[in-house]
mmCIF file of all heavy atoms in Angstrom:
data_model
loop_
_atom_site.group_PDB
_atom_site.id
_atom_site.type_symbol
_atom_site.label_atom_id
_atom_site.label_comp_id
_atom_site.label_asym_id
_atom_site.label_seq_id
_atom_site.Cartn_x
_atom_site.Cartn_y
_atom_site.Cartn_z
ATOM 1 N N LEU A 288 -16.682 12.526 12.149
ATOM 2 C CA LEU A 288 -17.283 13.122 10.969
ATOM 3 C C LEU A 288 -18.013 14.410 11.353
ATOM 4 O O LEU A 288 -18.376 14.630 12.509
ATOM 5 C CB LEU A 288 -18.249 12.141 10.311
ATOM 6 C CG LEU A 288 -17.697 10.745 10.006
ATOM 7 C CD1 LEU A 288 -18.734 9.922 9.260
ATOM 8 C CD2 LEU A 288 -16.396 10.819 9.220
ATOM 9 N N SER A 289 -18.229 15.247 10.352
ATOM 10 C CA SER A 289 -18.883 16.540 10.588
ATOM 11 C C SER A 289 -20.347 16.393 10.990
ATOM 12 O O SER A 289 -20.936 17.332 11.519
ATOM 13 C CB SER A 289 -18.765 17.416 9.342
ATOM 14 O OG SER A 289 -19.310 16.759 8.210
ATOM 15 N N ASP A 290 -20.938 15.221 10.750
ATOM 16 C CA ASP A 290 -22.328 15.011 11.179
ATOM 17 C C ASP A 290 -22.416 14.502 12.612
ATOM 18 O O ASP A 290 -23.502 14.163 13.085
ATOM 19 C CB ASP A 290 -23.036 14.044 10.236
ATOM 20 C CG ASP A 290 -22.350 12.689 10.155
ATOM 21 O OD1 ASP A 290 -21.354 12.480 10.879
ATOM 22 O OD2 ASP A 290 -22.789 11.843 9.356
ATOM 23 N N GLY A 291 -21.281 14.407 13.302
ATOM 24 C CA GLY A 291 -21.264 13.974 14.691
ATOM 25 C C GLY A 291 -20.918 12.520 14.900
ATOM 26 O O GLY A 291 -20.751 12.086 16.049
ATOM 27 N N THR A 292 -20.799 11.734 13.838
ATOM 28 C CA THR A 292 -20.456 10.312 13.963
ATOM 29 C C THR A 292 -19.012 10.154 14.424
ATOM 30 O O THR A 292 -18.107 10.784 13.867
ATOM 31 C CB THR A 292 -20.661 9.595 12.631
ATOM 32 O OG1 THR A 292 -22.007 9.809 12.180
ATOM 33 C CG2 THR A 292 -20.397 8.111 12.762
ATOM 34 N N LYS A 293 -18.807 9.313 15.413
ATOM 35 C CA LYS A 293 -17.464 9.034 15.924
ATOM 36 C C LYS A 293 -17.135 7.569 15.687
ATOM 37 O O LYS A 293 -17.902 6.680 16.063
ATOM 38 C CB LYS A 293 -17.371 9.361 17.415
ATOM 39 C CG LYS A 293 -17.513 10.850 17.727
ATOM 40 C CD LYS A 293 -17.268 11.132 19.200
ATOM 41 C CE LYS A 293 -17.329 12.641 19.472
ATOM 42 N NZ LYS A 293 -17.061 12.949 20.903
ATOM 43 N N ILE A 294 -15.991 7.324 15.056
ATOM 44 C CA ILE A 294 -15.543 5.971 14.732
ATOM 45 C C ILE A 294 -14.356 5.651 15.631
ATOM 46 O O ILE A 294 -13.315 6.315 15.565
ATOM 47 C CB ILE A 294 -15.155 5.865 13.243
ATOM 48 C CG1 ILE A 294 -16.367 6.221 12.375
ATOM 49 C CG2 ILE A 294 -14.648 4.471 12.920
ATOM 50 C CD1 ILE A 294 -16.037 6.445 10.932
ATOM 51 N N ASP A 295 -14.525 4.659 16.469
ATOM 52 C CA ASP A 295 -13.483 4.306 17.424
ATOM 53 C C ASP A 295 -12.239 3.793 16.720
ATOM 54 O O ASP A 295 -12.303 3.192 15.636
ATOM 55 C CB ASP A 295 -13.987 3.237 18.400
ATOM 56 C CG ASP A 295 -15.063 3.789 19.335
ATOM 57 O OD1 ASP A 295 -15.026 5.008 19.603
ATOM 58 O OD2 ASP A 295 -15.916 3.001 19.772
ATOM 59 N N SER A 296 -11.093 4.016 17.355
ATOM 60 C CA SER A 296 -9.830 3.529 16.822
ATOM 61 C C SER A 296 -9.630 2.073 17.235
ATOM 62 O O SER A 296 -9.664 1.767 18.437
ATOM 63 C CB SER A 296 -8.672 4.383 17.343
ATOM 64 O OG SER A 296 -7.447 3.933 16.822
ATOM 65 N N PRO A 297 -9.439 1.154 16.294
ATOM 66 C CA PRO A 297 -9.319 -0.272 16.661
ATOM 67 C C PRO A 297 -8.043 -0.581 17.451
ATOM 68 O O PRO A 297 -8.016 -1.528 18.218
ATOM 69 C CB PRO A 297 -9.310 -0.983 15.299
ATOM 70 C CG PRO A 297 -9.844 -0.002 14.331
ATOM 71 C CD PRO A 297 -9.443 1.341 14.839
ATOM 72 N N ARG A 298 -6.969 0.187 17.226
ATOM 73 C CA ARG A 298 -5.694 -0.023 17.920
ATOM 74 C C ARG A 298 -5.216 -1.478 17.769
ATOM 75 O O ARG A 298 -4.983 -2.197 18.749
ATOM 76 C CB ARG A 298 -5.823 0.327 19.403
ATOM 77 C CG ARG A 298 -6.107 1.792 19.676
ATOM 78 C CD ARG A 298 -6.107 2.064 21.179
ATOM 79 N NE ARG A 298 -6.311 3.471 21.468
ATOM 80 C CZ ARG A 298 -7.509 4.021 21.648
ATOM 81 N NH1 ARG A 298 -8.592 3.253 21.551
ATOM 82 N NH2 ARG A 298 -7.633 5.311 21.903
ATOM 83 N N PHE A 299 -5.053 -1.886 16.531
ATOM 84 C CA PHE A 299 -4.673 -3.274 16.264
ATOM 85 C C PHE A 299 -3.311 -3.617 16.855
ATOM 86 O O PHE A 299 -3.118 -4.698 17.416
ATOM 87 C CB PHE A 299 -4.672 -3.523 14.750
ATOM 88 C CG PHE A 299 -6.022 -3.391 14.110
ATOM 89 C CD1 PHE A 299 -6.334 -2.293 13.332
ATOM 90 C CD2 PHE A 299 -6.989 -4.352 14.301
ATOM 91 C CE1 PHE A 299 -7.575 -2.166 12.738
ATOM 92 C CE2 PHE A 299 -8.239 -4.236 13.725
ATOM 93 C CZ PHE A 299 -8.532 -3.144 12.930
ATOM 94 N N LEU A 300 -2.346 -2.707 16.720
ATOM 95 C CA LEU A 300 -1.010 -2.980 17.251
ATOM 96 C C LEU A 300 -1.016 -3.020 18.775
ATOM 97 O O LEU A 300 -0.371 -3.883 19.385
ATOM 98 C CB LEU A 300 -0.028 -1.921 16.750
ATOM 99 C CG LEU A 300 1.420 -2.068 17.217
ATOM 100 C CD1 LEU A 300 2.005 -3.381 16.725
ATOM 101 C CD2 LEU A 300 2.267 -0.895 16.741
ATOM 102 N N ARG A 301 -1.724 -2.111 19.413
ATOM 103 C CA ARG A 301 -1.778 -2.082 20.867
ATOM 104 C C ARG A 301 -2.412 -3.351 21.421
ATOM 105 O O ARG A 301 -1.971 -3.894 22.443
ATOM 106 C CB ARG A 301 -2.573 -0.862 21.332
ATOM 107 C CG ARG A 301 -1.929 0.474 21.002
ATOM 108 C CD ARG A 301 -0.684 0.706 21.827
ATOM 109 N NE ARG A 301 -0.168 2.067 21.626
ATOM 110 C CZ ARG A 301 0.920 2.528 22.226
ATOM 111 N NH1 ARG A 301 1.606 1.756 23.051
ATOM 112 N NH2 ARG A 301 1.329 3.768 21.993
ATOM 113 N N ARG A 302 -3.448 -3.850 20.753
ATOM 114 C CA ARG A 302 -4.127 -5.047 21.243
ATOM 115 C C ARG A 302 -3.269 -6.298 21.075
ATOM 116 O O ARG A 302 -3.384 -7.240 21.860
ATOM 117 C CB ARG A 302 -5.461 -5.232 20.520
ATOM 118 C CG ARG A 302 -6.496 -4.183 20.897
ATOM 119 C CD ARG A 302 -7.858 -4.540 20.370
ATOM 120 N NE ARG A 302 -7.894 -4.659 18.924
ATOM 121 C CZ ARG A 302 -8.944 -5.035 18.228
ATOM 122 N NH1 ARG A 302 -10.055 -5.355 18.854
ATOM 123 N NH2 ARG A 302 -8.900 -5.108 16.915
ATOM 124 N N ALA A 303 -2.414 -6.313 20.059
ATOM 125 C CA ALA A 303 -1.563 -7.477 19.808
ATOM 126 C C ALA A 303 -0.168 -7.315 20.403
ATOM 127 O O ALA A 303 0.700 -8.167 20.166
ATOM 128 C CB ALA A 303 -1.453 -7.723 18.306
ATOM 129 N N GLU A 304 0.048 -6.231 21.149
ATOM 130 C CA GLU A 304 1.399 -5.932 21.630
ATOM 131 C C GLU A 304 1.932 -7.010 22.575
ATOM 132 O O GLU A 304 3.109 -7.375 22.510
ATOM 133 C CB GLU A 304 1.382 -4.573 22.335
ATOM 134 C CG GLU A 304 2.736 -3.894 22.360
ATOM 135 C CD GLU A 304 2.624 -2.434 22.749
ATOM 136 O OE1 GLU A 304 1.579 -2.049 23.316
ATOM 137 O OE2 GLU A 304 3.574 -1.695 22.495
ATOM 138 N N LYS A 305 1.091 -7.545 23.432
ATOM 139 C CA LYS A 305 1.541 -8.567 24.374
ATOM 140 C C LYS A 305 1.991 -9.822 23.647
ATOM 141 O O LYS A 305 3.037 -10.409 23.968
ATOM 142 C CB LYS A 305 0.401 -8.888 25.348
ATOM 143 C CG LYS A 305 0.790 -9.858 26.441
ATOM 144 C CD LYS A 305 -0.359 -10.076 27.418
ATOM 145 C CE LYS A 305 0.033 -11.058 28.518
ATOM 146 N NZ LYS A 305 -1.086 -11.278 29.481
ATOM 147 N N LYS A 306 1.227 -10.238 22.651
ATOM 148 C CA LYS A 306 1.593 -11.418 21.876
ATOM 149 C C LYS A 306 2.862 -11.165 21.064
ATOM 150 O O LYS A 306 3.722 -12.054 20.931
ATOM 151 C CB LYS A 306 0.432 -11.791 20.945
ATOM 152 C CG LYS A 306 0.675 -13.036 20.126
ATOM 153 C CD LYS A 306 -0.539 -13.365 19.273
ATOM 154 C CE LYS A 306 -0.288 -14.619 18.432
ATOM 155 N NZ LYS A 306 -1.471 -14.941 17.581
ATOM 156 N N LEU A 307 3.004 -9.955 20.513
ATOM 157 C CA LEU A 307 4.195 -9.625 19.728
ATOM 158 C C LEU A 307 5.441 -9.607 20.611
ATOM 159 O O LEU A 307 6.506 -10.074 20.198
ATOM 160 C CB LEU A 307 4.007 -8.270 19.051
ATOM 161 C CG LEU A 307 2.988 -8.217 17.909
ATOM 162 C CD1 LEU A 307 2.748 -6.773 17.485
ATOM 163 C CD2 LEU A 307 3.468 -9.029 16.726
ATOM 164 N N LYS A 308 5.312 -9.073 21.816
ATOM 165 C CA LYS A 308 6.459 -9.043 22.718
ATOM 166 C C LYS A 308 6.918 -10.454 23.079
ATOM 167 O O LYS A 308 8.119 -10.739 23.137
ATOM 168 C CB LYS A 308 6.099 -8.265 23.984
ATOM 169 C CG LYS A 308 6.031 -6.762 23.805
ATOM 170 C CD LYS A 308 5.720 -6.072 25.117
ATOM 171 C CE LYS A 308 5.698 -4.563 24.944
ATOM 172 N NZ LYS A 308 5.369 -3.861 26.224
ATOM 173 N N LYS A 309 5.967 -11.329 23.339
ATOM 174 C CA LYS A 309 6.309 -12.711 23.682
ATOM 175 C C LYS A 309 7.005 -13.405 22.517
ATOM 176 O O LYS A 309 8.017 -14.102 22.699
ATOM 177 C CB LYS A 309 5.043 -13.470 24.076
ATOM 178 C CG LYS A 309 5.310 -14.912 24.486
ATOM 179 C CD LYS A 309 4.015 -15.612 24.856
ATOM 180 C CE LYS A 309 4.284 -17.080 25.233
ATOM 181 N NZ LYS A 309 3.013 -17.791 25.572
ATOM 182 N N ALA A 310 6.489 -13.235 21.309
ATOM 183 C CA ALA A 310 7.103 -13.865 20.137
ATOM 184 C C ALA A 310 8.494 -13.298 19.869
ATOM 185 O O ALA A 310 9.423 -14.041 19.522
ATOM 186 C CB ALA A 310 6.203 -13.675 18.918
ATOM 187 N N GLN A 311 8.660 -11.987 20.035
ATOM 188 C CA GLN A 311 9.965 -11.375 19.808
ATOM 189 C C GLN A 311 10.968 -11.809 20.880
ATOM 190 O O GLN A 311 12.160 -11.991 20.595
ATOM 191 C CB GLN A 311 9.828 -9.853 19.819
ATOM 192 C CG GLN A 311 11.090 -9.103 19.429
ATOM 193 C CD GLN A 311 11.494 -9.360 17.996
ATOM 194 O OE1 GLN A 311 10.674 -9.280 17.090
ATOM 195 N NE2 GLN A 311 12.757 -9.699 17.797
#
Side-chain angles (χ1 to χ4, degrees):
L288 308 184
S289 56
D290 59 3
T292 305
K293 294 186 176 181
I294 301 167
D295 292 332
S296 181
R298 295 185 177 90
F299 296 106
L300 180 62
R301 295 290 187 180
R302 290 191 300 176
E304 204 166 18
K305 185 177 180 180
K306 182 178 179 181
L307 290 171
K308 286 182 178 179
K309 182 180 178 181
Q311 187 65 48

